[in-house]
Structures are given as structure tokens and as C-alpha cells.
Amino acid sequence: MKKISTMILAFLCATFTFSQSYGILVNGKTYFAGSYTDEFEGFTQYLAHVQVQSGDYCQLYDAENKAAWAVDVNQYSESGFVRDGNKINISVSGCYDFYIKLKYEADELYVGPGSDCGSGQDISGSDTPVTPGYSGSAPAKCTDVVFQAFYWDSYKDQGYGRTKWIDYLNGSNGTSAEEIGQWFDLIWLPPMSKSTGGTGYLPVDYSSLDGAWGTKANLVKLITTLHQNGARVVADIVINHVAGSNGWCSFAKLNFGEYGTFQPDASWICSTDEMNSSSEAGSCKGQATGNPDDGYGSEANYDSGRDWDHNNSQVRDMCKAYLKWLRNDIKIDGFRYDYCKGFHNSHINDYNKAAEAYFSVMEMWDGNVNTLMSHLNDAGYNTLTFDFATKYQAFNNGIASDYYEGLKGAGLPGAGKARYAVTFLDSHDSFQRDDNEFCGLGNSMKYEGKIQQCYAYLLSMPGVPLVFFPHWVKFKDKIKPMLNARYKTGVHSESAVSDEAGSGYYNATITGTNGEIRLLVGPNSGYNTTPAGYTKAVTGENYGVYYKTTSARGDKNTERKDLTPVEEVNTDVRPLHGDKFIENGQLFIRCGEQVYDMMGNKVK
């Protein structure tokens, strides 16, 4: 989101603070006015009596500014009210009291039993409501597919192509920025900051973007090219730990422009860090005076770097400034958080809200699906997580061992949390590096048929699937038809699945918004026979992907236009006045010959 969005939101929030026109908007048209009640535990409260029906949705509404949005529903509320991005879905009927509770960075809604509900005011004939603000970092019914644009130390060619920024710009590594931008929705780039290690996981200076992967200028050019071709960019964020710029307790001064400058010192480091105990710390020993590490268990402390104290407000301000700078100045769209065992995951929720990330995924390396859900809960379900449970159950212990029964009910999708799952086969951490690699250390690329089976599953099933650079370069002729089948049928992160599995087979029907995918995997699945009414997308060794659609749709790389191209940013924070119109589900305002989106950005 552009700088102007922050400025407009500040303007709107200031208006909200002094306005008494709060109420509840049902289904985008029926307004139930609220009235100011009192101050309670720091909250300013407004009360609206609201009549709802099961299947409705509602939003908070400021009638004076014609602004609609959503906040989290208080845990003590009546059941049947669940936030879904920028609206609240309702599964009950009746009269309810809605308490709109406002407090800086902590707004919430409490819903209790109500009385004296009227019919509300129909405002559907008035100006279209504006929806300001941030709707969360775990998009609902997400159709995105992630591309991991690197592998370990791939800033130098490790046998599968080099992945420096210039290699994507030149198209010299088996693909190009244009190609991955057209075929994928989210491009995960490696850690961008100056670091002591080539791949970037020991950061030294977050505000310096010249490093092993290339220059800041080429990075910005790459991001621009990806945006122009329809993809968003996800930055790898390493904020659990830091490396010293000169020894163990000397840290680089960070400059994030208008978002602030920071000079960390040893007091920003957790008191449980090895700085206080290791003989190698030298004169730094004992100088880490922060709070104890709030990470998880024995792996909370990362002994290769100094662990930030995220309970220190200065550290939190630094992280927020860093992410806001990436979002607004470098034009990053989302974040991949590294080593999330090292700090309490509630901080991810806090940082995502501050930077208004479109998308977020955390690395919580654990194959237990209940553990993954516990950490998602700690993060307020305001992020996705890598679905290690699916990797191990469906792939490492399933397809790799010809155990196709393991594909049924795997991972977070099997537990009903597909919206929050980034499903993947291998990443930079597992690929040719340890025994977590698919098919065993050093073996995965030898089993081409099994890799393709895994991608047939990944790219057909709910969740947000990830395609890994070495696999893309080698198997793109097989992966592209799978991407097309997913795109044409509208399969998304929460799609319904009907499946069966047995000895030597897994068969599934996955329902999208524009059709169905029929997935057949295993030697006994009938994979090589096109089901009646379906079209073949692709077949290979022991797998077949077939699809049918309700309306025609072209190939993903030629028809998809997800992002509104931004020409320039409007820096005038006064409200825009002009003719409003909706195109492709987005609200625009035409002022003379110029057209702006709802955040004030001038668009082509």
C-alpha cells in the first residue's frame, strides 16, 4: 500500500475519533445507527441494535465519511460472528447489541444479546461506501500461487542456475522476471539486507539493500518488472536475530528514511542470549540486558546470531519501521518470516498490522498439525504458515514411499485450516541439505515422476501452493498446465475436496469458483484415462490432472491482470471528489481526466 494510504488513514482515523456517526452496515446497504455510550477500560464505545439473518455479513460504518471496515470480534461475543478479512460473516438470526469498542491499535467489536431492533436505514442509493484500512495478511479464498525464487547460496550457481536480481532481469537462469511474473502471483525473494552470509540469514544492516544478490537499483527494477507482469513480491524477513557489524555487541545504525533511524545496542538483545555466557563474546559478555527470549522451548535462542528482545518497544518500533519502509518505499507486498520458533508469534500479527502486508507466511518448522495451528493462533490467524505437516505426511512419507493413502486428509487442509497453509515440496532449507529433502538427502531430483506427482497434488488442492525454483526450471512444461487448470477452474485456498485413497491410488475432485479439477495420482488411480466431461491438463508417470469449467477462461500467463498499475501517488490528502465507478470489483474516482483508486493512487 502506498504512502498515501497511511496519510489518508490518519486523516480518516482522526475524523473517526471525533465523529459520533458510528453504526453497523449489514450487507453493504442497511445501516443501523449507533449511539455513544461510555468509556470502558480505555475503549470509547458506541452501541447499535442490529437485526440480522443467517448468511448476512456486516461491517462497522461511519455514516459521515461513508467508510466501512471490519475489526476483530471480541472473544466473549455471542457465537455466529466471524471476521473474514474486511467483513464479518454471520451464521445466526435475531436481534443483537453491537458494541463498537474503539481504542488506538486495539479496536474490536463485542456482540451480545439485543432488543429493540428496528429495520435499519436503506442507504443503497447513497454513495458507495469506502472501505479504508487493512484487511489482514491471510487472504480469504486465495487463488495465489507462490514461487520461491532462490535456493541455498544460489547467488552463485549451485547446479540449477544462478538467481541474482540481474539473472531474472536478463532471463539468463532458465526463466525470467517476465515469465515468473505472468505465471505466479507471489514471488518470494531471499533476504535482501546486508548480511554476513551469502544467502542472507545473518543480517547486519536491514537498511542496506546492496548485497550478494545484487544492487538495490537492480532489486527495485526487478520488483517493478514483477509488478508490471501481474505478480506481488514477498520479502524474506529475518528479525529473530542479528549479526554484529563489529564484534558481538556493536550493531549497524539503521536508516529507514521517514520511518525513522535506529541505533541498536546490547540492551536490545535478550538476556538469555549466549552473549552473556559464551567465552567468545569477549568484552560483550554480560551486556545483553533485554528481557528473556519469548520464543518457544529449547529452540528459542538462535546461537549463530544475537536474539532481538521483541518485548522491548524500541525493537518493535525498529521492526515496524523496517517493514513499513519495505512496503512503501521498496514496494514489497508481503513477508516471509524466518525462524519463528525464536520469538513469540503474536509479534507477527503486530508487525503485519503496522505494515499492512497483503500476505504473510511464517516458518514454523514442525510437522505436527496441532502445533502449527497453535502457532497460528498465537499470531491471531493473521498470517499463513508453511505446512510442514503436508510435506511430511503427503510427500516425504507418502508419495516418496508409494503410500498414497497418506495424501488423504493431510496437513492443515485436512484439519480445516487450508486458508492458512502454504503447501510445498522442498525449500532452500531442505533441498539437498539434510534428511528432510523429499526422497532423502541428495535424491529428490532423481525421482522426476514423483516430483511431478507432488506438484499435481500441490497445484490441485486447497491451500496456497509453492513452486520451488529448481523444480520450475526443470519441469515447467509439466507445471504450466497444472497452473492453468487451477486458474481456469478458480480453485483457491479454501476449495472443497471430495476424495478417496487406497492401495496405489489417490483420487480427488476439487471444486473452484469456475469449475472442477479431477486429480488422479498413483499407479492404480486410472490416471491415464480422461474422466467423462473433463479435459486433460497434463499426465505423466502415475498421475493425471483433468479439469472442466463453467465458463471459458484463457491461459494464466495471457489473461491474468491482478494488479492495478500505478502511475504516480497522489500526495494531496484532501478527500477526492468526483464520479465514482466500479471496475473489476474495485472502486475508482474520476476527477476530470484523472482516475484514482480508493487509496488516492493515480492509476492508468
Side-chain angles (χ1 to χ4, degrees):
M1 198 171 289
K2 308 293 183 276
K3 295 178 188 177
I4 187 64
S5 67
T6 304
M7 300 166 70
I8 289 178
L9 289 174
F11 168 78
L12 290 171
C13 289
T15 306
F16 294 163
T17 303
F18 299 101
S19 170
Q20 294 193 16
S21 60
Y22 286 111
I24 298 295
L25 186 65
V26 176
N27 298 332
K29 64 178 183 178
T30 306
Y31 174 55
F32 293 84
S35 58
Y36 174 77
T37 57
D38 56 12
E39 299 276 339
F40 178 72
E41 296 182 346
F43 290 93
T44 300
Q45 297 192 117
Y46 294 82
L47 171 63
H49 307 291
V50 184
Q51 186 73 38
V52 299
Q53 299 292 324
S54 178
D56 288 346
Y57 72 90
C58 69
Q59 297 168 291
L60 279 63
Y61 188 64
D62 175 18
E64 181 177 336
N65 291 287
K66 295 184 173 62
W69 70 106
V71 296
D72 291 335
V73 180
N74 183 287
Q75 61 179 323
Y76 301 109
S77 294
E78 294 285 296
S79 61
F81 300 85
V82 178
R83 180 177 179 178
D84 182 6
N86 218 28
K87 64 180 181 179
I88 297 167
N89 291 327
I90 302 169
S91 59
V92 294
S93 300
C95 179
Y96 292 86
D97 285 344
F98 283 63
Y99 286 86
I100 303 169
K101 303 162 75 68
L102 306 177
K103 182 165 61 175
Y104 180 66
E105 293 190 343
D107 298 345
E108 64 182 30
L109 182 68
Y110 169 75
V111 184
S115 59
D116 301 323
C117 288
S119 57
Q121 176 187 359
D122 186 351
I123 63 168
S124 57
S126 62
D127 290 345
T128 304
V130 175
T131 304
Y134 162 68
S135 59
S137 299
K141 297 181 179 179
C142 185
T143 58
D144 293 345
V145 178
V146 183
F147 177 71
Q148 182 175 2
F150 66 102
Y151 56 104
W152 194 261
D153 281 355
S154 59
Y155 64 94
K156 50 187 178 182
D157 192 343
Q158 299 292 299
Y160 297 96
R162 201 180 68 171
T163 64
K164 297 182 74 165
W165 315 140
I166 192 65
D167 298 316
Y168 282 107
L169 291 170
N170 291 340
S172 59
N173 60 359
T175 187
S176 66
E178 289 81 4
E179 183 178 47
I180 61 173
Q182 291 162 9
W183 281 100
F184 296 96
D185 310 277
L186 297 167
I187 311 300
W188 168 18
L189 298 181
M192 302 167 178
S193 303
K194 180 181 178 181
S195 70
T196 61
T199 300
Y201 289 100
L202 281 174
V204 172
D205 183 352
Y206 294 123
S207 59
S208 173
L209 299 182
D210 291 324
W213 301 102
T215 65
K216 177 182 177 181
N218 278 341
L219 170 62
V220 171
K221 186 176 180 180
L222 173 60
I223 293 169
T224 299
T225 303
L226 292 171
H227 283 163
Q228 289 172 343
N229 284 277
R232 293 182 171 92
V233 179
V234 176
D236 205 315
I237 303 299
V238 187
I239 54 172
N240 171 71
H241 51 268
V242 65
S245 59
N246 183 21
W248 284 49
C249 54
S250 177
F251 303 103
K253 184 176 182 179
L254 308 175
N255 182 359
F256 301 121
E258 66 181 275
Y259 302 103
T261 57
F262 300 84
Q263 181 57 73
D265 58 40
S267 70
W268 295 27
I269 303 301
C270 293
S271 60
T272 47
D273 189 86
E274 63 278 357
M275 180 191 289
N276 284 349
S277 57
S278 175
S279 60
E280 297 179 22
S283 62
C284 294
K285 190 173 181 179
Q287 291 191 30
T289 57
N291 294 288
D293 200 313
D294 67 355
Y296 297 89
S298 61
E299 296 180 85
N301 184 63
Y302 186 81
D303 59 11
S304 294
R306 309 291 72 76
D307 286 26
W308 291 119
D309 171 17
H310 288 271
N311 288 308
N312 180 330
S313 61
Q314 293 173 296
V315 171
R316 293 197 303 274
D317 288 345
M318 172 194 71
C319 291
K320 291 175 183 178
Y322 172 41
L323 300 185
K324 288 178 181 178
W325 175 69
L326 287 177
R327 284 283 282 134
N328 298 320
D329 284 15
I330 311 303
K331 311 305 182 188
I332 294 299
D333 303 287
F335 309 123
R336 178 266 185 188
Y337 289 95
D338 178 64
Y339 201 74
C340 292
K341 289 183 177 180
F343 57 101
H344 198 272
N345 297 157
S346 59
H347 300 300
I348 292 175
N349 187 17
D350 189 26
Y351 299 149
N352 282 342
K353 287 181 177 179
E356 299 183 352
Y358 163 75
F359 179 88
S360 161
V361 57
M362 60 181 181
E363 182 208 22
M364 176 51 60
W365 197 318
D366 199 296
N368 186 305
V369 69
N370 292 317
T371 302
L372 294 177
M373 289 193 292
S374 174
H375 287 276
L376 285 168
N377 186 67
D378 285 350
Y381 279 90
N382 191 23
T383 183
L384 294 83
T385 189
F386 289 107
D387 191 359
F388 286 91
T390 287
K391 171 178 169 55
Y392 293 130
Q393 178 181 334
F395 304 142
N396 286 29
N397 300 324
I399 289 176
S401 301
D402 295 324
Y403 180 65
Y404 293 93
E405 293 94 325
L407 276 66
K408 185 174 175 65
L412 286 168
K417 298 296 183 183
R419 173 177 174 176
Y420 305 98
V422 172
T423 52
F424 70 105
L425 175 58
D426 266 323
S427 71
H428 65 292
D429 276 324
S430 61
F431 181 67
Q432 296 194 330
R433 296 190 65 227
D434 54 41
D435 291 333
N436 291 288
E437 183 180 24
F438 175 64
C439 286
L441 179 61
N443 288 313
S444 73
M445 294 299 280
K446 299 176 183 177
Y447 294 90
E448 297 186 6
K450 289 185 179 295
I451 290 176
Q452 293 171 31
Q453 290 175 44
C454 292
Y455 276 105
Y457 181 90
L458 279 174
L459 295 172
S460 298
M461 297 292 283
V464 176
L466 178 148
V467 175
F468 184 42
F469 174 87
H471 298 154
W472 168 249
V473 172
K474 188 171 181 63
F475 305 114
K476 69 172 70 173
D477 62 323
K478 296 291 188 178
I479 292 174
K480 284 180 178 180
M482 298 175 191
L483 292 169
N484 269 334
R486 188 178 186 91
Y487 173 69
K488 290 171 186 287
T489 58
V491 166
H492 53 77
S493 61
E494 300 177 76
S495 282
V497 177
S498 174
D499 59 0
E500 58 182 0
S503 179
Y505 75 91
Y506 175 80
N507 296 350
T509 301
I510 305 94
T511 302
T513 57
N514 190 50
E516 293 177 351
I517 288 178
R518 182 67 174 160
L519 170 67
L520 308 174
V521 184
N524 301 328
S525 65
Y527 65 92
N528 219 15
T529 301
T530 303
Y534 286 81
T535 298
K536 184 177 81 170
V538 63
T539 58
E541 181 182 323
N542 293 332
Y543 74 89
V545 178
Y546 304 87
Y547 68 95
K548 62 180 179 181
T549 59
T550 54
S551 61
R553 182 176 288 180
D555 288 352
K556 183 170 185 175
N557 66 316
T558 59
E559 194 167 274
R560 182 175 60 108
K561 299 295 180 184
D562 289 341
L563 304 181
T564 302
V566 175
E567 184 178 74
E568 61 183 80
V569 174
N570 171 32
T571 57
D572 185 350
V573 300
R574 294 175 298 176
L576 294 169
H577 299 285
D579 296 327
K580 298 181 178 66
F581 65 96
I582 294 178
E583 184 175 303
N584 296 327
Q586 298 185 62
L587 173 66
F588 297 94
I589 302 174
R590 179 177 287 106
C591 304
E593 296 183 356
Q594 299 297 336
V595 176
Y596 299 87
D597 66 17
M598 68 180 187
M599 301 312 302
N601 301 317
K602 187 185 294 184
V603 299
K604 293 181 180 178

